[in-house]
Amino acid sequence: MTAPPEGAHAPRNPSSKEMVLRLVSHHGSVTRAQLMDLSGLPRTTVYDAVAALVDSGAITTAQAAGDGRGRGRPVERLSLNPGRAQFLGIEFTRRATRVALANDACQLMGVRGAEEPSTAGWQDRVRTAHRLALILAGGSLGLGAVKGVGVGIGGPGSVKGIGIGGPGAARPGPEVEVARLVRERFAAPVRVERGYRLAALGEATWGAAAGEPDLLSVSLSREVGGGLIQAGALHRGPYATAGELGHVNVERENGRPCHCGGHGCLETVASSQAVLDRYHARGGLASDIADLAVAARNAEEAACRVLAETGRAVGGVLAALANTFAPAVIVIGGALTRTGTPLMDPLKRELHELLVPTVRPHLSLRAATLGTTATACGAVALVAGAPTANPA
């Protein structure tokens, strides 16, 4: 098993065409000279990328007003092609809305986000998503330009009452209302999925595991969530619960109650609040995960013990899943990973020790690279087609 240090796995560098496309999307209308300044790319590289994007129809050129007068070649301004098919990914969390935009070649053109009050209703959130989409699209989303919208709603427990997908879902959630509002606003087909599952798709498309057809992702934050991709397809299962490793039991005896109705779930051990609660019970004074990381770096016993316990619990669950599904890559992210080696070293040791010999040399453990944009990126990948998810 190869396991680079946390943060050592760098995100895939965007191609020159992707960089130019994102800059045009972000700035709305630019010249080639401005692109050279903004990107730092050589003149020939910028001109070649622009030519390829114009040929593909992704961007259009227009002579800038007044530039036809005088000597020299008229200056052209570059904009996104409003008639070119576009795909949107939207993430709704308790306190934020994020939108990603991709073209029909599955090139990511940008991600924008905005904070939301926790009391904001779905209509307000969808209006925010539309405003962000307009910014990404250069101010215009022509009728029929949006060919599909993927929507991620938080993670397990992030938005109360969520019950995404298929027969047997535990309880009805907001996905029907959200899908209707998004469909009406963007006049496009809509797919709604769990946020953590889409984060896995984002990392598989543009992040730490770009191009990997088989991977498992885990996020250790306010909740513990995950996603599983097999043979390039997002796996959700008949009840839309596949990948929710936060509810794998790790404390059979005297397990703490979980919001899912069970006891001793991984989330009751490895979520941010669960870790802090156990730390405070041992007399620790750090108030949040950032302070806990400092305490651990200073070798505070309570912090190091709690993080080591947490790392071993997570490592054991990941080993069991890796032995079962044999992913090529495990991607791990979330706020708790910022505590660094006091968490990750015990996690890696437990994972390594519990992996079966046939899996161990082939598994790569990587740090997530997309951060808070992972779910929105995965949502756009869901509808833009790389990789494709199993049909709902």
Side-chain angles (χ1 to χ4, degrees):
M1 178 186 70
T2 59
E6 297 85 327
H9 185 82
R12 179 178 65 88
N13 290 327
S15 68
S16 57
K17 287 194 296 183
E18 289 175 321
M19 185 180 295
V20 167
L21 196 58
R22 292 180 195 182
L23 289 171
V24 173
S25 172
H26 181 76
H27 292 278
S29 176
V30 292
T31 66
R32 289 171 177 81
Q34 288 171 330
L35 284 174
M36 285 186 281
D37 290 339
L38 291 166
S39 67
L41 295 173
R43 181 180 188 277
T44 301
T45 302
V46 169
Y47 272 66
D48 287 348
V50 168
L53 291 168
V54 170
D55 288 343
S56 70
I59 62 176
T60 60
T61 62
Q63 184 175 318
D67 287 329
R69 298 190 301 270
R71 296 179 179 179
R73 185 177 179 179
V75 175
E76 288 183 326
R77 300 197 70 84
L78 310 168
S79 305
L80 291 181
N81 183 353
R84 182 70 182 264
Q86 296 170 343
F87 296 90
L88 293 171
I90 303 172
E91 179 191 18
F92 296 116
T93 70
R94 280 189 180 94
R95 298 186 180 277
T97 295
R98 300 183 185 94
V99 176
L101 178 69
N103 65 12
D104 56 2
C106 204
Q107 294 170 311
L108 186 65
M109 292 187 277
V111 185
R112 282 292 184 98
E115 293 184 359
E116 300 267 27
S118 59
T119 55
W122 289 116
Q123 287 188 336
D124 290 336
R125 290 171 180 267
V126 172
R127 276 195 291 267
T128 298
H130 189 258
R131 175 174 58 82
L132 294 171
L134 284 173
I135 294 171
L136 287 169
S140 175
L141 282 172
L143 183 64
V146 178
K147 299 303 181 183
V149 184
V151 179
I153 304 183
S158 288
V159 179
K160 297 302 182 183
I162 189 171
I164 298 295
R171 56 193 176 190
E175 71 276 7
V176 174
E177 179 186 4
V178 172
R180 177 183 61 82
L181 291 170
V182 172
R183 190 179 301 113
E184 290 174 354
R185 175 67 65 166
F186 292 97
V190 177
R191 292 187 63 182
V192 183
E193 186 56 85
R194 289 191 185 276
Y196 287 132
R197 197 175 289 134
L198 292 178
L201 193 57
E203 292 289 349
T205 308
W206 292 294
E212 296 285 356
D214 298 281
L215 70 109
L216 173 69
S217 79
V218 57
S219 175
L220 307 175
S221 289
R222 188 186 188 108
E223 296 89 23
V224 176
L228 178 64
I229 293 176
Q230 294 182 297
L234 184 65
H235 187 61
R236 63 202 309 273
Y239 308 115
T241 57
E244 290 192 12
L245 71 173
H247 299 289
V248 175
N249 186 275
V250 294
E251 287 188 330
R252 190 171 181 84
E253 301 293 332
N254 303 315
R256 300 165 182 81
C258 180
H259 67 80
C260 74
H263 287 75
C265 298
L266 181 62
E267 189 160 302
T268 69
V269 173
S271 66
S272 299
Q273 191 58 54
V275 170
L276 287 172
D277 288 346
R278 298 203 324 279
Y279 167 72
H280 292 151
R282 296 186 180 191
L285 300 178
S287 60
D288 55 24
I289 295 300
D291 289 342
L292 179 64
V294 173
R297 284 196 295 272
N298 292 333
E300 182 189 299
E301 183 178 2
C304 291
R305 281 183 176 272
V306 167
L307 289 172
E309 292 170 359
T310 304
R312 287 193 293 271
V314 175
V317 170
L318 293 179
L321 293 173
N323 289 337
T324 302
F325 297 104
V329 177
I330 294 177
V331 178
I332 184 166
L336 197 61
T337 62
R338 297 170 195 157
T339 57
T341 56
L343 172 81
M344 294 303 297
D345 283 353
L347 186 157
K348 293 173 185 177
R349 284 194 296 270
E350 192 79 358
L351 175 61
H352 181 81
E353 290 174 7
L354 296 179
L355 286 173
V356 297
T358 52
V359 172
R360 189 179 296 136
H362 305 293
L363 181 65
S364 173
L365 180 67
R366 302 178 187 175
T369 60
L370 295 180
T372 58
T373 70
T375 294
C377 289
V380 76
L382 181 72
V383 292
T388 55
N390 291 338

